Amino acid sequence: MGQKLAFLGIETSCDETAASIVQEKNDGTGEILSNVVSSQIEEHKAFGGVVPEVAARAHVEKIESIIKKAVKDSKLKIKDIDGIAATAGPGLIVCLTVGFNAGKAIAGVLKKPFVAVNHLEGHALSPKIIQKIKFPYLLLLISGGHTQFLEVGGVNNYKRLGTTIDDALGEAFDKTAKLMGIEFPGGPKVEEWAKKGDENYFKLPKPIFKKGGCNLSFAGLKTAVLRISKELKNEKEKYHLAASFQKTVVDILNEKTKVAMKEFLKNKEKEKNTFVIAGGVAANLKIRENLIKLAKEKNFSPVFPPVNLCSDNAAMIAWAGIERYKMKLVDNLEFPSKARWPLDASAPFLKGPGLKI
Ligand code: KG4
Ligand code: ZN
């Protein structure tokens, strides 16, 4: 067996400055030789969310030391790495350019292959670092920036089955938390409060529940939380609101996953399929339990990548780099960073006021 490929991955699309080195293993999965992630939660707490300019400045300050640490931790020498992969989009352009340009500079100086990675492809392929999964598989990505159902047909082959038409699910958790006085990022705290509340206490709306295929919407839910949060009578009602919000999200995800599974199974043989759930919100135990139950009922094996591969990281970028490189999908150094870069270019752009679906 020849030398296995090792790639440096760099990720700065939002509020994590990350670098990692991943090497292929003989069994087709990957070994994470280093995985350095510097989160900017403290920097953004005061603002209640990610501020692009603040995030970009933090990336500029940290990028060099994070990459150096990733190389050092891996015990490899940078000259022995087979290629560089960096996130080119989608994301905040002022943030993306920091890591992307650093990756290009390293590739240029070392004369190594360069792969421009779509952040969503990083998430989509990430479970393959730790376990062998056959294409095609169904992916639900639920993070602070994205909420999508994707059919992962192979490397560079994606079909978007559904997407949020307004807020991402993590954003909905964070905004709900903020309205209840919880610091950013509030998702974990909402889950904690929900344990102490009655999930049937408040009746909250489920926008486009029975229409729009497996597209999702959370803006109306947030507006309802805003209204109720102003009328809360006591501490206990806060817990009820957190629990009712979480229950509504669970119901929405259950309903929409059923639709996505049906779409996914169209024109496919009835064999056992895989359902991957990734993104920071996948850490929520209530959501996990429910999706596992549903997957089993529908004859899908549920896969949750470990939390450090679910939330934003550079190991998934290095891995996507390896997978693309093996398919000769190498880019030149003129490749631009892109704020908007849908994985499935044929999918319609579903956002904006007045949208009817
Ligand atoms: O994938 P991720 O780590 O980062 C980006 O989106 O960039 O996702 C972060 C999101 C945040 O909105 C956070 O509030 C949410 O995931 N989150 C949760 C939980 N843990 C993290 N939401 C609900 N329940 C949780 N336990
Ligand atoms: Zn992400």
Side-chain angles (χ1 to χ4, degrees), residues 15-16 143-145 170-171 173-174 185-188 191 279-281 283-284 310-312:
D15 60 339
E16 258 95 29
S143 73
E171 207 180 339
F173 264 96
D174 294 339
E191 180 173 17
V281 185
N284 185 292
C310 252
S311 51
D312 285 352

mmCIF file of all heavy atoms in Angstrom, residues 15-16 143-145 170-171 173-174 185-188 191 279-281 283-284 310-312, ligand 1:
data_model
loop_
_atom_site.group_PDB
_atom_site.id
_atom_site.type_symbol
_atom_site.label_atom_id
_atom_site.label_comp_id
_atom_site.label_asym_id
_atom_site.label_seq_id
_atom_site.Cartn_x
_atom_site.Cartn_y
_atom_site.Cartn_z
ATOM 1 N N ASP A 15 -17.352 32.109 12.715
ATOM 2 C CA ASP A 15 -16.687 32.587 13.936
ATOM 3 C C ASP A 15 -15.727 31.571 14.555
ATOM 4 O O ASP A 15 -15.402 31.670 15.724
ATOM 5 C CB ASP A 15 -17.730 33.043 14.968
ATOM 6 C CG ASP A 15 -18.680 31.927 15.362
ATOM 7 O OD1 ASP A 15 -18.798 30.957 14.596
ATOM 8 O OD2 ASP A 15 -19.298 32.029 16.424
ATOM 9 N N GLU A 16 -15.301 30.580 13.775
ATOM 10 C CA GLU A 16 -14.285 29.657 14.269
ATOM 11 C C GLU A 16 -13.049 29.772 13.388
ATOM 12 O O GLU A 16 -13.169 29.685 12.165
ATOM 13 C CB GLU A 16 -14.786 28.208 14.215
ATOM 14 C CG GLU A 16 -15.223 27.663 15.540
ATOM 15 C CD GLU A 16 -16.703 27.809 15.772
ATOM 16 O OE1 GLU A 16 -17.441 27.806 14.779
ATOM 17 O OE2 GLU A 16 -17.100 27.943 16.941
ATOM 18 N N SER A 143 -27.354 23.811 11.721
ATOM 19 C CA SER A 143 -26.327 24.569 12.438
ATOM 20 C C SER A 143 -26.780 26.007 12.630
ATOM 21 O O SER A 143 -27.931 26.353 12.357
ATOM 22 C CB SER A 143 -25.020 24.515 11.644
ATOM 23 O OG SER A 143 -25.128 25.316 10.504
ATOM 24 N N GLY A 144 -25.856 26.840 13.086
ATOM 25 C CA GLY A 144 -26.184 28.246 13.312
ATOM 26 C C GLY A 144 -26.384 28.993 12.002
ATOM 27 O O GLY A 144 -27.068 30.011 11.953
ATOM 28 N N GLY A 145 -25.788 28.486 10.928
ATOM 29 C CA GLY A 145 -25.859 29.193 9.647
ATOM 30 C C GLY A 145 -26.675 28.480 8.587
ATOM 31 O O GLY A 145 -27.080 29.093 7.602
ATOM 32 N N GLY A 170 -30.282 26.836 14.262
ATOM 33 C CA GLY A 170 -29.425 27.295 15.372
ATOM 34 C C GLY A 170 -29.699 28.762 15.692
ATOM 35 O O GLY A 170 -29.739 29.174 16.853
ATOM 36 N N GLU A 171 -29.922 29.527 14.625
ATOM 37 C CA GLU A 171 -30.229 30.951 14.773
ATOM 38 C C GLU A 171 -31.552 31.101 15.533
ATOM 39 O O GLU A 171 -31.678 31.974 16.403
ATOM 40 C CB GLU A 171 -30.386 31.489 13.348
ATOM 41 C CG GLU A 171 -30.102 32.925 13.123
ATOM 42 C CD GLU A 171 -30.325 33.230 11.624
ATOM 43 O OE1 GLU A 171 -30.299 32.326 10.750
ATOM 44 O OE2 GLU A 171 -30.555 34.423 11.346
ATOM 45 N N PHE A 173 -32.820 29.013 17.699
ATOM 46 C CA PHE A 173 -32.524 28.706 19.104
ATOM 47 C C PHE A 173 -31.847 29.911 19.771
ATOM 48 O O PHE A 173 -32.210 30.308 20.879
ATOM 49 C CB PHE A 173 -31.584 27.489 19.207
ATOM 50 C CG PHE A 173 -32.306 26.185 19.428
ATOM 51 C CD1 PHE A 173 -32.609 25.346 18.361
ATOM 52 C CD2 PHE A 173 -32.676 25.788 20.700
ATOM 53 C CE1 PHE A 173 -33.273 24.137 18.555
ATOM 54 C CE2 PHE A 173 -33.341 24.579 20.915
ATOM 55 C CZ PHE A 173 -33.636 23.758 19.835
ATOM 56 N N ASP A 174 -30.872 30.491 19.085
ATOM 57 C CA ASP A 174 -30.122 31.606 19.677
ATOM 58 C C ASP A 174 -30.998 32.841 19.884
ATOM 59 O O ASP A 174 -30.892 33.532 20.892
ATOM 60 C CB ASP A 174 -28.909 31.961 18.810
ATOM 61 C CG ASP A 174 -27.883 30.837 18.791
ATOM 62 O OD1 ASP A 174 -27.900 30.005 19.709
ATOM 63 O OD2 ASP A 174 -27.079 30.785 17.849
ATOM 64 N N PRO A 185 -23.978 31.670 22.587
ATOM 65 C CA PRO A 185 -25.027 30.999 21.843
ATOM 66 C C PRO A 185 -25.952 30.259 22.796
ATOM 67 O O PRO A 185 -25.501 29.516 23.657
ATOM 68 C CB PRO A 185 -24.238 30.004 20.974
ATOM 69 C CG PRO A 185 -23.001 29.685 21.762
ATOM 70 C CD PRO A 185 -22.737 30.853 22.667
ATOM 71 N N GLY A 186 -27.247 30.483 22.654
ATOM 72 C CA GLY A 186 -28.187 30.041 23.681
ATOM 73 C C GLY A 186 -28.762 28.644 23.534
ATOM 74 O O GLY A 186 -29.477 28.180 24.412
ATOM 75 N N GLY A 187 -28.469 27.961 22.417
ATOM 76 C CA GLY A 187 -29.064 26.635 22.175
ATOM 77 C C GLY A 187 -28.957 25.690 23.365
ATOM 78 O O GLY A 187 -29.977 25.149 23.834
ATOM 79 N N PRO A 188 -27.747 25.467 23.896
ATOM 80 C CA PRO A 188 -27.602 24.519 25.007
ATOM 81 C C PRO A 188 -28.418 24.912 26.239
ATOM 82 O O PRO A 188 -28.979 24.065 26.927
ATOM 83 C CB PRO A 188 -26.102 24.555 25.315
ATOM 84 C CG PRO A 188 -25.460 25.027 24.057
ATOM 85 C CD PRO A 188 -26.443 25.963 23.424
ATOM 86 N N GLU A 191 -32.064 24.115 25.854
ATOM 87 C CA GLU A 191 -32.266 22.688 26.120
ATOM 88 C C GLU A 191 -32.320 22.423 27.628
ATOM 89 O O GLU A 191 -33.168 21.672 28.110
ATOM 90 C CB GLU A 191 -31.136 21.864 25.477
ATOM 91 C CG GLU A 191 -31.317 20.383 25.742
ATOM 92 C CD GLU A 191 -30.326 19.486 24.995
ATOM 93 O OE1 GLU A 191 -29.297 19.980 24.512
ATOM 94 O OE2 GLU A 191 -30.609 18.276 24.931
ATOM 95 N N GLY A 279 -24.175 19.240 12.319
ATOM 96 C CA GLY A 279 -24.350 20.649 12.687
ATOM 97 C C GLY A 279 -24.534 20.770 14.188
ATOM 98 O O GLY A 279 -24.940 19.809 14.863
ATOM 99 N N GLY A 280 -24.235 21.953 14.711
ATOM 100 C CA GLY A 280 -24.239 22.166 16.158
ATOM 101 C C GLY A 280 -25.538 21.791 16.861
ATOM 102 O O GLY A 280 -25.526 21.294 17.985
ATOM 103 N N VAL A 281 -26.692 21.997 16.199
ATOM 104 C CA VAL A 281 -27.980 21.723 16.836
ATOM 105 C C VAL A 281 -28.196 20.210 17.040
ATOM 106 O O VAL A 281 -28.990 19.794 17.882
ATOM 107 C CB VAL A 281 -29.147 22.358 16.032
ATOM 108 C CG1 VAL A 281 -30.467 22.184 16.747
ATOM 109 C CG2 VAL A 281 -28.895 23.837 15.775
ATOM 110 N N ALA A 283 -26.477 18.410 18.583
ATOM 111 C CA ALA A 283 -26.064 18.070 19.958
ATOM 112 C C ALA A 283 -27.283 17.989 20.880
ATOM 113 O O ALA A 283 -27.205 17.422 21.974
ATOM 114 C CB ALA A 283 -25.097 19.134 20.484
ATOM 115 N N ASN A 284 -28.410 18.543 20.453
ATOM 116 C CA ASN A 284 -29.615 18.581 21.290
ATOM 117 C C ASN A 284 -30.200 17.172 21.459
ATOM 118 O O ASN A 284 -30.598 16.522 20.492
ATOM 119 C CB ASN A 284 -30.645 19.513 20.628
ATOM 120 C CG ASN A 284 -31.871 19.709 21.475
ATOM 121 O OD1 ASN A 284 -32.641 18.786 21.679
ATOM 122 N ND2 ASN A 284 -32.054 20.910 21.959
ATOM 123 N N CYS A 310 -19.113 17.809 14.111
ATOM 124 C CA CYS A 310 -20.433 18.336 13.756
ATOM 125 C C CYS A 310 -20.416 19.848 13.682
ATOM 126 O O CYS A 310 -20.949 20.446 12.764
ATOM 127 C CB CYS A 310 -21.405 17.969 14.864
ATOM 128 S SG CYS A 310 -22.555 16.727 14.411
ATOM 129 N N SER A 311 -19.830 20.456 14.702
ATOM 130 C CA SER A 311 -19.758 21.914 14.676
ATOM 131 C C SER A 311 -18.597 22.300 13.758
ATOM 132 O O SER A 311 -17.836 21.443 13.321
ATOM 133 C CB SER A 311 -19.577 22.451 16.082
ATOM 134 O OG SER A 311 -18.515 21.786 16.690
ATOM 135 N N ASP A 312 -18.457 23.595 13.480
ATOM 136 C CA ASP A 312 -17.473 23.999 12.477
ATOM 137 C C ASP A 312 -16.055 23.612 12.881
ATOM 138 O O ASP A 312 -15.646 23.835 14.017
ATOM 139 C CB ASP A 312 -17.578 25.508 12.225
ATOM 140 C CG ASP A 312 -18.796 25.822 11.386
ATOM 141 O OD1 ASP A 312 -19.435 24.869 10.901
ATOM 142 O OD2 ASP A 312 -19.104 27.010 11.214
HETATM 143 O O1 KG4 B 1 -22.507 24.007 13.712
HETATM 144 P P1 KG4 B 1 -22.298 25.006 14.807
HETATM 145 O O2 KG4 B 1 -21.403 24.640 15.939
HETATM 146 O O3 KG4 B 1 -21.722 26.326 14.257
HETATM 147 C C1 KG4 B 1 -22.153 27.119 13.251
HETATM 148 O O4 KG4 B 1 -23.336 27.153 12.904
HETATM 149 O O5 KG4 B 1 -21.277 27.832 12.746
HETATM 150 O O6 KG4 B 1 -23.739 25.373 15.383
HETATM 151 C C2 KG4 B 1 -23.898 26.302 16.400
HETATM 152 C C3 KG4 B 1 -25.360 26.386 16.709
HETATM 153 C C4 KG4 B 1 -25.695 27.547 17.626
HETATM 154 O O7 KG4 B 1 -26.795 28.223 17.084
HETATM 155 C C5 KG4 B 1 -26.054 26.865 18.944
HETATM 156 O O8 KG4 B 1 -26.967 27.582 19.744
HETATM 157 C C6 KG4 B 1 -26.626 25.557 18.458
HETATM 158 O O9 KG4 B 1 -25.804 25.182 17.374
HETATM 159 N N1 KG4 B 1 -26.604 24.520 19.490
HETATM 160 C C7 KG4 B 1 -27.711 23.965 20.026
HETATM 161 C C8 KG4 B 1 -27.264 23.062 21.021
HETATM 162 N N2 KG4 B 1 -25.897 23.099 21.055
HETATM 163 C C9 KG4 B 1 -25.508 23.994 20.097
HETATM 164 N N3 KG4 B 1 -29.005 24.151 19.762
HETATM 165 C C10 KG4 B 1 -29.887 23.439 20.476
HETATM 166 N N4 KG4 B 1 -29.554 22.569 21.450
HETATM 167 C C11 KG4 B 1 -28.264 22.349 21.758
HETATM 168 N N5 KG4 B 1 -27.933 21.483 22.719
#
